[in-house]
Amino acid sequence: MKKHLFYSIFAISLFTQISFAQVSEDPEIKKMITEVKADNLEVTIRKLVSFGTRHTLSDPKNKTRGISAAQQWIKSEFDKYALESGGRLTSKIDYFTVKADGKRIPADSEVANVMAILKGTDPNDDRVLIISGHLDSRVTDVMNVKADAPGANDDGSGVAAVIELAKIMSKRSFPATIIFVAVTGEEQGLYGARHLAEVAKESKWNIVAMLNNDMIGNSLSSGTNLRDNTQVRIFSETIPYLETEDEAKMRKATNRDNDSPSRLLARYIKTVTEQYVDQLKVKLVYRNDRFLRGGDHTPFSQNGFTAVRFCELNENFDHQHQDLRTENGTKFGDLPEFMDFDYLRKNTCANLATLANLAWSPKAPVNVGIEVKNLSNSSTLLWSAPEGKEQYGYQILMRETSSSHWEKTFFVKETKAEIPYSKDNYFFAVQTVDALGHASLPVFPIPIR
């Protein structure tokens, strides 16, 4: 009898220190989400289409047609938001030269990215978040610079999301810096993204997350005619491009093949999206991009940054990389009439929820480890508090080894916790949270002997 009483008291004591996390929602994020309007996104798409073509190599001197004209218009939009931001938002067109490559760049060419930088308010917080879409468009022949290439969904949708969020988020202050960018040269070889990633690496930017949005506004598939505006795909790499030999050894020892930094970011996006955005589920796709294809997040991954791709669930190849024409009653071309603007709204909200939560969150815990000095059917995790913004506590995330997403969350106030689940059967991660539920990216623990 006394033995049973002892174990009951022990169990009660344990769970007074560890509790299941209560989901908190920030009313300001919910308010921002209501400000994202499908009608506004459609207006932006139609304006981008009005430039005729946005081919990377289109006439740079034309003031009404081509990519240069579109870049100037986006810059003017960013400038409007900057005037209302109290000096927090600045914008620029970042020009650079791409050398002839004998493939899709026939001669040395000056191209540019259009950027708006929402500077973080905390001088001691060097974290940077990037959201991008690619401005350039194309038709069937990637070298055709003359034909109309409306690029409504590919990738007017991603650029419209970037512009909409720059307008909404620049009205608020965040401790971390957010960069909104419309990159150029994606269709010619990811040149704009590669340039920005290399600048970031050379400048030693502390990029916490890079969100690439490429085709997020179509909900009807070609061929199969499946329609679904309730799911969005997030692509994330398995093994980091710049994994060191020591990191590879640790990955193999801990079996963390599905817990790369990008994959932890993808799960984070799923969590906050399904918390804040109605009627939208995140489908985690365990590859860097679609089969044998690539996008603007890839150069960031290749330079060692944590980056993922947002992409619609169902691609429609009748309206992607197509000359404008009608054949056998089927209309081809990437036109606004084939888009689902409410679906684009929801995907834009998913980006907003992710960026706002990360930009307002405390920094991630450091020195995160899991004890392995003794055999045990429980798991002891410990870590150090991060510098900077005061944290309210920590969340320990847990899932079975066969699960793609976190299944349980435990909230603790201290920097050490014993969880009554075996590390043989589960994966864990730890994140810092504040009182409003803003959480840092999770950190996967390493063994501590």
Side-chain angles (χ1 to χ4, degrees):
M1 180 69 180
K2 290 182 178 179
K3 181 182 291 187
H4 289 305
L5 179 62
F6 169 79
Y7 284 123
S8 297
I9 293 171
F10 173 78
I12 292 170
S13 174
L14 175 65
F15 283 100
T16 58
Q17 299 174 47
I18 301 172
S19 62
F20 288 102
Q22 299 298 312
V23 175
S24 299
E25 289 190 349
D26 182 351
E28 190 63 21
I29 294 178
K30 295 179 73 173
K31 184 177 185 297
M32 282 193 286
I33 284 175
T34 67
E35 296 173 19
V36 179
K37 304 295 186 184
D39 289 348
N40 294 345
L41 293 163
E42 181 176 0
V43 168
T44 299
I45 294 288
R46 293 189 181 278
K47 179 64 177 179
L48 293 172
V49 169
S50 75
F51 293 104
T53 180
R54 302 189 308 276
H55 194 286
T56 298
L57 304 177
S58 54
D59 184 2
K61 296 181 181 180
N62 195 316
K63 297 186 181 301
T64 59
R65 178 182 174 85
I67 195 163
S68 181
Q71 288 167 338
Q72 293 297 331
W73 176 76
I74 294 172
K75 172 70 161 58
S76 70
E77 291 297 294
F78 285 159
D79 288 343
K80 290 179 188 176
Y81 314 148
L83 288 174
E84 301 174 0
S85 72
R88 294 186 304 277
L89 188 75
T90 58
S91 68
K92 68 177 182 179
I93 300 180
D94 180 20
Y95 292 97
F96 58 98
T97 299
V98 176
K99 297 292 185 180
D101 62 5
K103 299 175 183 177
R104 296 187 177 187
I105 304 292
D108 291 0
S109 303
E110 184 181 66
V111 295
N113 297 326
V114 190
M115 303 171 62
I117 300 97
L118 185 60
K119 183 67 176 175
T121 56
D122 185 348
N124 297 315
D125 192 338
D126 66 348
R127 292 176 299 170
V128 175
L129 308 171
I130 297 178
I131 176 174
S132 79
H134 73 82
L135 182 59
D136 55 306
S137 62
R138 59 167 288 189
V139 289
T140 304
D141 179 1
V142 71
M143 300 306 295
N144 186 341
V145 302
K146 299 293 186 182
D148 281 350
N153 186 46
D154 185 13
D155 183 32
S157 61
V159 174
V162 167
I163 293 172
E164 185 78 351
L165 293 192
K167 176 174 63 177
I168 292 169
M169 300 186 77
S170 61
K171 297 175 183 177
R172 280 85 175 176
S173 299
F174 300 89
T177 294
I178 306 173
I179 298 177
F180 308 87
V181 57
V183 298
T184 303
E186 193 269 353
E187 303 289 6
Q188 308 308 114
L190 311 179
Y191 283 105
R194 182 170 293 111
H195 167 74
L196 184 57
E198 290 173 353
V199 167
K201 186 174 183 179
E202 291 170 6
S203 303
K204 297 182 179 179
W205 292 358
N206 179 20
I207 297 179
V208 173
M210 188 275 179
L211 312 181
N212 171 35
N213 288 265
D214 195 345
M215 297 187 297
I216 58 171
N218 163 73
S219 59
L220 176 66
S221 67
S222 56
T224 55
N225 290 322
L226 298 174
R227 184 180 291 279
D228 189 342
N229 70 353
T230 65
Q231 296 186 79
V232 62
R233 292 180 292 178
I234 305 295
F235 291 88
S236 59
E237 67 181 2
T238 301
I239 299 172
Y241 278 94
L242 295 186
E243 183 181 61
T244 66
E245 184 176 345
D246 286 343
E247 288 169 341
K249 289 179 180 178
M250 182 60 69
R251 171 177 56 80
K252 294 172 183 177
T254 57
N255 302 116
R256 63 168 298 176
D257 291 347
N258 285 323
D259 287 272
S260 67
S262 294
R263 200 142 289 174
L264 291 170
L265 170 59
R267 293 192 187 101
Y268 184 99
I269 294 169
K270 179 176 176 67
T271 297
V272 298
T273 294
E274 295 176 7
Q275 177 183 354
Y276 281 97
V277 186
D278 293 331
Q279 302 297 322
L280 186 65
K281 298 292 184 182
V282 168
K283 184 178 182 66
L284 299 173
V285 184
Y286 279 4
R287 47 170 49 117
N288 179 62
D289 207 319
R290 299 143 307 155
F291 190 59
L292 301 181
R293 300 159 75 188
D296 287 318
H297 57 301
T298 303
F300 284 86
S301 295
Q302 291 170 336
N303 279 278
F305 298 116
T306 302
V308 298
R309 175 186 177 134
F310 282 76
C311 192
E312 60 206 19
L313 182 67
N314 296 305
E315 291 186 58
N316 196 313
F317 300 109
D318 293 344
H319 310 307
Q320 182 186 141
H321 299 177
Q322 292 285 351
D323 292 336
L324 300 178
R325 67 194 191 281
T326 300
E327 291 181 357
N328 301 319
T330 299
K331 192 171 183 179
F332 292 84
D334 189 357
L335 295 161
E337 64 196 77
F338 300 116
M339 293 182 63
D340 181 337
F341 291 105
D342 194 58
Y343 181 55
L344 173 56
R345 176 193 63 81
K346 290 191 286 186
N347 291 331
T348 303
C349 290
N351 279 267
L352 189 155
T354 303
L355 290 172
N357 271 287
L358 280 175
W360 271 326
S361 75
K363 293 180 182 179
V366 295
N367 304 320
V368 180
I370 185 166
E371 287 188 350
V372 294
K373 58 185 179 182
N374 296 312
L375 295 177
S376 172
N377 284 315
S378 61
S379 300
T380 299
L381 293 103
L382 62 164
W383 56 90
S384 300
E387 296 179 351
K389 177 181 176 179
E390 184 177 353
Q391 61 276 1
Y392 177 69
Y394 305 91
Q395 290 183 158
I396 298 173
L397 309 178
M398 187 185 82
R399 73 180 197 279
E400 291 197 48
T401 60
S402 59
S403 176
S404 64
H405 192 54
W406 304 114
E407 296 170 309
K408 283 185 181 294
T409 304
F410 306 93
F411 175 78
V412 298
K413 298 286 285 187
E414 305 301 324
T415 56
K416 182 176 182 179
E418 183 178 355
I419 306 298
Y421 293 88
S422 171
K423 53 189 166 291
D424 294 338
N425 303 330
Y426 297 93
F427 287 126
F428 301 94
V430 183
Q431 59 187 168
T432 315
V433 293
D434 68 10
L436 283 172
H438 305 131
S440 71
L441 285 178
V443 180
F444 195 87
I446 63 171
I448 296 176
R449 298 187 184 277

